[in-house]
Amino acid sequence: MSSTQNCTSVSANCPVEATVYGYYPNLPANVILAVIFALFHFANILLGLKFKTWSFSALLALGCIGEAAGYIGRIILHSNPWSNAGFELQICTLIFSPSWLAAAIYVLLKHIILAIGPNFSPIKASLYPYIFVICDLLSLFLQALGGGVAASAATASGKASGGKIMLAGIIFQVLTFVFLFVLAAIFAWNVRRNLSIIGPNARYLLYSREFRIFLTGLGIGTMAIFIRCVYRIAELAGGWANSVMRDEVGFIILDGGMCVAAVLSLTLAHPGIFFKDMGKVKTIEEKHGERGTEFEFRAPNWR
């Protein structure tokens, strides 16, 4: 490490094999990913303005622009694998941008619970955004902190410390997803067991083609981000410059590809199009401060 710590460009004494990734990032693949995320960034801004899904669209747009910036960093590394600017840009943005995508998913949970039946949820519907967004922000903080430490470190031990902090943040994010899956499974089980007592509006929603498209897109997006996080654990667990980290094909598929799948599914199944009455539900709990077993929901007006 000492012989290459002052390297600024590829040379006989500073071969590309001695960099963290050990390769020149593929230019076409990274350009395509940067363009895709940039396009989805603007698409979600427009959709947010059109349908007034402010929080969801803003978080999705933030995640997309962060991903685009990360792949611009990798394009810089293609030109110069020793570029500190390129490494710092891509390590910081690509490690935590999916946290914004996860937060976009979390803000939808409360509205789904309210629309189908808050009495079937193991926790109050109003707690979902607080619990999961706070957990996501904590994960984001750890990943950003670790990325900053790793990017600015001048020694191998400094980079290792940054990697461990990033790893802790991603593990926490995976555990947050696991908790979400448990709550979702309990909710789905309770709904399935009580289909006979579900109100007509909620039943209409459950069996509507539009809402099922929305849930399918949400499910695909959630699983894609979860797979990406599990991949990142495997990538960082072996330390810097390990075999997983140096496999660009695996990275493009399991990080870039999974994030594209998440953004694509969440955008195509946009709640403004397929869950138009999101946010128009008021529970007894919200109106009177009590946990109720009934809810009001205006039947969707699918246009």
Side-chain angles (χ1 to χ4, degrees):
M1 181 70 183
S2 58
S3 62
T4 59
Q5 64 182 356
N6 294 320
C7 289
T8 58
S9 62
V10 175
S11 65
N13 294 324
C14 300
V16 66
E17 291 80 11
T19 62
V20 169
Y21 296 120
Y23 59 77
Y24 289 90
N26 183 274
L27 184 60
N30 287 284
V31 168
I32 289 171
L33 286 169
V35 171
I36 288 174
F37 285 115
L39 291 175
F40 275 113
H41 166 74
F42 291 110
N44 278 285
I45 289 177
L46 293 175
L47 288 170
L49 292 173
K50 178 177 176 59
F51 296 111
K52 297 181 174 57
T53 51
W54 310 120
S55 298
F56 173 78
S57 297
L59 290 166
L60 212 52
L62 271 175
C64 288
I65 199 62
E67 289 284 327
Y71 286 101
I72 290 173
R74 288 180 64 84
I75 292 170
I76 295 172
L77 289 179
H78 170 81
S79 300
N80 179 14
W82 287 102
S83 169
N84 284 330
F87 181 78
E88 291 173 5
L89 178 60
Q90 64 89 34
I91 197 65
C92 290
T93 53
L94 293 183
I95 202 70
F96 67 71
S97 290
S99 294
W100 296 118
L101 305 181
I105 291 172
Y106 297 148
V107 299
L108 298 175
L109 300 177
K110 169 186 173 181
H111 302 291
I112 296 171
I113 300 297
L114 292 177
I116 298 174
N119 48 307
F120 300 127
S121 174
I123 64 174
K124 292 182 178 181
S126 58
L127 293 179
Y128 279 85
Y130 294 105
I131 292 173
F132 287 102
V133 172
I134 288 173
C135 286
D136 196 59
L137 289 175
L138 177 57
S139 169
L140 176 63
F141 171 75
L142 290 173
Q143 292 176 61
L145 176 63
V149 171
S152 60
T155 63
S157 61
K159 286 188 180 295
S161 297
K164 289 177 181 178
I165 297 172
M166 287 193 301
L167 182 60
I170 296 174
I171 290 174
F172 186 75
Q173 188 172 33
V174 168
L175 293 176
T176 302
F177 270 115
V178 171
F179 182 45
L180 168 63
F181 295 152
V182 170
L183 292 180
I186 294 173
F187 179 74
W189 174 253
N190 287 338
V191 170
R192 185 176 181 84
R193 288 174 55 203
N194 295 279
L195 283 174
S196 60
I197 64 171
I198 290 179
N201 291 323
R203 184 184 296 274
Y204 174 84
L205 183 68
L206 275 174
Y207 288 101
S208 68
R209 181 179 63 88
E210 290 83 358
F211 189 65
R212 290 189 174 191
I213 291 173
F214 165 71
L215 291 182
T216 299
L218 182 63
I220 293 173
T222 302
M223 288 307 303
I225 297 174
F226 179 74
I227 292 170
R228 174 265 174 194
C229 291
V230 172
Y231 161 75
R232 279 292 194 172
I233 290 176
E235 182 196 40
L236 290 171
W240 295 101
N242 66 75
S243 58
V244 177
M245 188 173 289
R246 287 175 166 236
D247 178 11
E248 186 179 22
V249 174
F251 172 81
I252 293 297
I253 295 172
L254 295 174
D255 191 287
M258 288 301 103
C259 288
V260 168
V263 171
L264 178 65
S265 61
L266 292 171
T267 303
L268 293 182
H270 197 278
I273 302 171
F274 296 103
F275 188 20
K276 290 188 175 74
D277 279 357
M278 184 182 76
K280 298 178 182 177
V281 187
K282 292 294 182 182
T283 61
I284 293 175
E285 172 192 335
E286 289 184 316
K287 292 192 295 183
H288 305 296
E290 302 174 354
R291 182 173 175 81
T293 57
E294 299 177 1
F295 62 94
E296 296 177 348
F297 181 68
R298 184 167 62 83
N301 177 25
W302 308 114
R303 295 190 294 271

